[in-house]
Amino acid sequence: MVLVASWSFLTNHGRTLLCIARDPEVRLRDIATSLAISERRTYAIVTDLTDAGYILKRKEGRRNRYEIQTHLPLPEFTGRDQAIGVVLDLLSAPEERRRFARRAGD
């Protein structure tokens, strides 16, 4: 019997940022469905990210448009600053770019 991992590599905050990076006009409902979390939890995560300055939220008609502040460092990196945009680009890149990045890192 194969055990399914009960943990994820990225936090829900990181996964939410990836959803927004892929679609800056994504709805909270769609993020919640994608991450299998409640809309209330998604709202709280987006609020956390907005309050921390990682995303800007702008109302456009009846929808929100998000802008990730890609120049900001990841909070858990110490010593060497790694901009969040670099990490999001790598994680949300098409498969071909990810393969190239893996080869370049060898």
Side-chain angles (χ1 to χ4, degrees), residues 3-21:
L3 296 176
V4 177
S6 60
W7 56 274
S8 66
F9 184 71
L10 297 173
T11 66
N12 284 335
H13 284 69
R15 295 170 63 209
T16 298
L17 275 173
L18 277 172
C19 287
I20 292 170

Side-chain angles (χ1 to χ4, degrees), residues 17 54 68-91 101:
L17 275 173
Y54 283 98
I68 298 173
Q69 300 301 294
T70 57
H71 64 282
L72 293 177
L74 289 168
E76 56 272 338
F77 276 79
T78 56
R80 191 176 74 152
D81 288 339
Q82 182 67 54
I84 196 162
V86 174
V87 175
L88 288 172
D89 282 347
L90 181 62
L91 292 174

